[in-house]
Amino acid sequence: MLLGLRISNVAVIEEVEVAFGAGLTVLTGETGAGKSILVDALGLLLGGRADADVIRAGCEDAAVEGVFARTPVLAARLEELGLPDLGEEVLVRRVLGRTGRGKVYVNGALVTLGVLGKLTRGAVDIAGQHEHVSLFDSGLHRVLLDKYGRLEETLAAYGREWANLREVDARMDALGGDDAKVRERAEFLRFQLDEITRLDPEAGEDVKLDAERRRLGSAQKLKRQGAEAELLVSGEAPSAVEIVGRALGLVHEGVKCDATLAPVAQSLSTALSELEEASRRLNRYVEGLESDPGRLGEVEERLDALKRLCRKHGSTLDGVLKKRGELETELGTLENRREILEELNQERKRVEERARKAALTLSRARKASAGAFSQQVREGLGGLAMGKAAFEVRVTAGETLRPDGMDEVEFFFSANPGEPARPLAKVASGGEASRLLLALKRALADSDACGCYILDEADAGVSGAIADVVGRMIREVSSHRQVLCITHLPQVAAYADAHLLIRKSVKGERTVSQVLPLSAGAERTQELARMMSGVEVTREALGAAEALVRSAHRATPRARRETGPEGNSPRGRMRRTA
């Protein structure tokens, strides 16, 4: 949902800040007052193309800022695109420069226009600006139809079979290309495997050899140090054994007079035993330690060979041992490639058959949903004075399986009887697009993920009783989604939850547009009367306007009349900007 919009130096708008709430907000004003500029400015926030001509004369740049409610979809896209997540709101700011490229910010982070488009895609539908209307994006028609038909489980069932098929294809691809390439790969694997097998390393061998190398290389030094240590422990007096033994004798004498010295005697006795054991071990170590240049050379040669092998494979010795197992597995697979491929081919046939069966089930469900959806949209068009318009959802099944099935789904439309239906984006004019969008949105109200619809003169070409039908339908749609509607019909404006008046005036010999929130009661009635009678508001027009408001009031559910859409006041909602 769009919470607020701020526009600076765009066309005749010098500075405008407006807040939006849930439900239906109508924008009215005289022709040329700048109503569509707000829609165009919002289009810029959705990644639309910009022209330096939109910058207000005499200004070097223009800016459009918007605050969107942070929905789960927007939150997921922020994470996917690596953008900051500020909590409850998403702040977007776009700056246009007269002499250079503009800048785009999302939650304060500088981004490209492409990233902005990915973030906001489907967040707002703007009738009359097809590049921003998800319903006119044929790439989304399948998604919309699946949501309308509640086909999530059927689609998921097909998705599992598709994943199984891709897994079998990946296993077949892993077996390589033609026979020559397979033989070449097998020879390379044998070479690598033979090299590892000839050396035949063992886990942890390099660590053991390195310890042995250090010991052999320092044999003389170790022998000397060991002998000196043994002499200090138990050699000529005063040795450690002798000193501790004397201390133990003295303490034993003291124990005879004071038993509290017994623990000390025990500690000294233990120390004496440990020293005697250390002396014996040092003696054995020194006697057994001999220099062995030949063995040292063997160890160093083996270590060098192991290090070369590790460098070649860019890994540790444990990694090399793991690689040997992988090489053996892959080589065995290639050597039995024909047999394995034959088994996989048979498995693929079975898996593809199941996938095609699931795709056909999905296709039949889509065709059934397409018929119901088309009929519902045509009924809506009939209520909007377009009863002779043609609309259909075409589901064309192909032969190629894809992640979403094997169907091409596209919406077709013809506004005039006798004219063939053509793809939606190619045939609808601005007024037709708004009414078609209204009929589509009414049909999709329970399933469409878009949170905000912009209807730019959805009432174009209608009047009288049809205008009231349009107003009722827009109000009905707004009970599910936020709707911003530019209208020239008082019958439509009477159903609004909030009313914004776009007024053009002269300020310092410059034309400027203002956005004025109208309070319920006299201000709204006055504007509705102006829409009926023109510049001069007559008493009769005021009476008719009051009647319209009462009629719309009666048509609005009581709970909605009393509470209104949550947070719908257009004043003070936009607390901060991007």
Side-chain angles (χ1 to χ4, degrees):
M1 187 173 80
L2 179 65
L3 302 180
L5 187 66
R6 175 183 291 165
I7 305 171
S8 303
N9 300 327
V10 175
V12 296
I13 294 178
E14 181 179 34
E15 185 78 29
V16 162
E17 181 177 312
V18 58
F20 302 101
L24 172 60
T25 298
V26 298
L27 297 87
T28 64
E30 297 178 357
T31 301
K35 299 184 297 298
S36 293
I37 296 175
L38 269 71
V39 177
D40 295 339
L42 183 55
L44 295 175
L45 283 185
L46 303 177
R49 290 173 300 210
D51 193 318
D53 291 342
V54 304
I55 301 175
R56 184 171 170 80
C59 300
E60 292 302 314
D61 54 41
V64 182
E65 303 169 84
V67 183
F68 295 88
R70 175 186 172 275
T71 63
V73 173
L74 282 179
R77 290 180 184 174
L78 288 173
E79 181 177 1
E80 178 185 345
L81 297 170
L83 298 175
D85 191 338
L86 303 183
E88 295 181 357
E89 298 172 348
V90 178
L91 316 176
V92 179
R93 182 170 187 257
R94 185 170 179 185
V95 180
L96 307 177
R98 190 177 296 280
T99 59
R101 299 178 63 182
K103 295 180 180 179
V104 180
Y105 301 89
V106 174
N107 286 342
L110 184 65
V111 302
T112 65
L113 202 58
V115 169
L116 175 64
K118 291 178 181 178
L119 174 69
T120 59
R121 186 186 187 200
V124 177
D125 273 344
I126 305 179
Q129 306 291 328
H130 291 186
E131 60 269 30
H132 303 307
V133 183
S134 61
L135 291 173
F136 290 89
D137 181 353
S138 60
L140 293 176
H141 290 176
R142 181 199 57 76
V143 176
L144 293 172
L145 179 62
D146 288 350
K147 287 182 178 179
Y148 173 83
R150 304 289 194 271
L151 303 182
E152 291 83 358
E153 291 185 6
T154 308
L155 183 60
Y158 167 76
R160 290 189 290 271
E161 299 299 340
W162 164 259
N164 293 336
L165 183 61
R166 295 302 302 145
E167 191 269 336
V168 173
D169 286 340
R171 286 159 58 193
M172 295 179 72
D173 292 341
L175 291 175
D178 57 38
D179 290 343
K181 290 183 179 179
V182 171
R183 286 194 298 271
E184 183 180 342
R185 175 65 177 169
E187 288 300 322
F188 176 68
L189 294 175
R190 290 191 191 96
F191 170 77
Q192 287 190 310
L193 189 57
D194 289 346
E195 189 177 40
I196 298 174
T197 302
R198 282 197 304 271
L199 195 59
D200 194 23
E202 297 179 358
E205 182 183 2
D206 53 344
V207 177
K208 295 177 182 177
L209 288 174
D210 187 60
E212 185 179 0
R213 179 184 61 79
R214 290 196 304 271
R215 186 175 69 253
L216 290 172
S218 305
Q220 293 300 325
K221 180 180 178 182
L222 290 170
K223 192 176 184 70
R224 183 179 68 254
Q225 292 172 335
E228 291 178 0
E230 182 188 4
L231 189 62
L232 290 171
V233 172
S234 61
E236 298 179 356
S239 67
V241 169
E242 182 179 352
I243 292 172
V244 173
R246 290 177 185 175
L248 180 59
L250 292 171
V251 173
H252 273 148
E253 288 295 325
V255 169
K256 295 176 182 179
C257 298
D258 186 358
T260 60
L261 285 173
V264 178
Q266 181 62 42
S267 297
L268 288 171
S269 177
T270 301
L272 184 59
S273 297
E274 291 291 339
L275 286 169
E276 290 171 345
E277 175 61 23
S279 176
R280 289 189 292 271
R281 295 179 67 177
L282 281 170
N283 181 264
R284 289 194 299 270
Y285 177 79
V286 170
E287 290 181 353
L289 190 62
E290 297 292 341
S291 298
D292 190 346
R295 175 57 184 167
L296 179 60
E298 292 175 0
V299 169
E300 289 179 339
E301 184 179 352
R302 177 74 174 175
L303 271 173
D304 288 342
L306 290 175
K307 289 178 180 178
R308 286 195 301 270
L309 187 65
C310 289
R311 284 196 300 269
K312 186 170 185 178
H313 291 280
S315 181
T316 62
L317 186 59
D318 288 341
V320 171
L321 293 173
K322 182 180 179 182
K323 181 66 177 293
R324 177 167 63 180
E326 294 172 351
L327 292 172
E328 290 172 344
T329 300
E330 185 178 356
L331 182 59
T333 299
L334 292 181
E335 289 175 342
N336 298 287
R337 176 173 175 266
R338 292 185 183 277
E339 293 82 357
I340 296 173
L341 269 178
E342 181 58 33
E343 293 176 1
L344 285 176
N345 275 323
Q346 295 302 318
E347 182 179 355
R348 192 187 190 285
K349 289 179 182 178
R350 294 191 296 271
V351 173
E352 183 179 1
E353 184 178 355
R354 292 198 302 269
R356 288 195 176 277
K357 183 177 180 180
L360 286 172
T361 300
L362 179 59
S363 184
R364 286 193 291 268
R366 282 174 174 160
K367 289 177 180 178
S369 297
F373 181 54
S374 300
Q375 179 61 30
Q376 192 170 350
V377 173
R378 286 194 293 268
E379 290 174 358
L381 289 172
L384 297 171
M386 297 181 69
K388 296 183 179 179
F391 176 85
E392 75 176 292
V393 179
R394 293 185 184 177
V395 180
T396 306
E399 293 296 323
T400 303
L401 296 177
R402 299 190 304 268
D404 54 21
M406 59 182 186
D407 300 316
E408 295 289 345
V409 178
E410 189 166 7
F411 298 169
F412 280 71
F413 175 75
S414 173
N416 303 307
E419 294 294 326
R422 299 171 59 197
L424 202 59
K426 297 181 179 179
V427 294
S429 66
E432 292 168 349
S434 292
R435 278 183 278 170
L436 175 58
L437 177 66
L438 182 57
L440 287 165
K441 287 302 185 180
R442 183 192 185 198
L444 291 167
D446 292 334
S447 59
D448 188 9
C450 178
C452 178
Y453 309 152
I454 311 296
L455 302 177
D456 191 354
E457 299 189 15
D459 48 32
V462 301
S463 60
I466 299 299
D468 185 67
V469 173
V470 171
R472 287 172 181 264
M473 191 177 293
I474 293 175
R475 184 198 56 77
E476 180 183 343
V477 172
S478 72
S479 66
H480 300 275
R481 297 290 187 277
Q482 180 189 45
V483 177
L484 310 182
C485 178
I486 295 176
T487 182
H488 289 288
L489 290 180
Q491 294 94 329
V492 173
Y495 284 97
D497 296 298
H499 193 145
L500 301 177
L501 172 63
I502 316 300
R503 177 180 293 169
K504 185 168 61 175
S505 61
V506 177
K507 177 182 177 183
E509 299 183 355
R510 294 290 304 275
T511 300
V512 295
S513 287
Q514 297 174 295
V515 180
L516 306 174
L518 301 182
S519 61
E523 289 184 347
R524 285 190 62 190
T525 303
Q526 184 76 16
E527 173 60 10
L528 294 180
R530 182 203 63 79
M531 296 171 71
M532 291 179 176
S533 62
V535 176
E536 182 179 352
V537 176
T538 64
R539 182 179 301 176
E540 291 78 8
L542 283 172
E546 291 172 353
L548 275 180
V549 172
R550 288 194 298 271
S551 176
H553 188 74
R554 287 193 298 271
T556 303
R558 182 174 182 272
R560 180 167 174 164
R561 292 202 308 265
E562 292 179 349
T563 62
E566 183 179 352
N568 196 52
S569 172
R571 302 179 187 272
R573 182 66 183 270
M574 191 170 179
R575 301 184 300 277
R576 49 185 174 168
T577 57

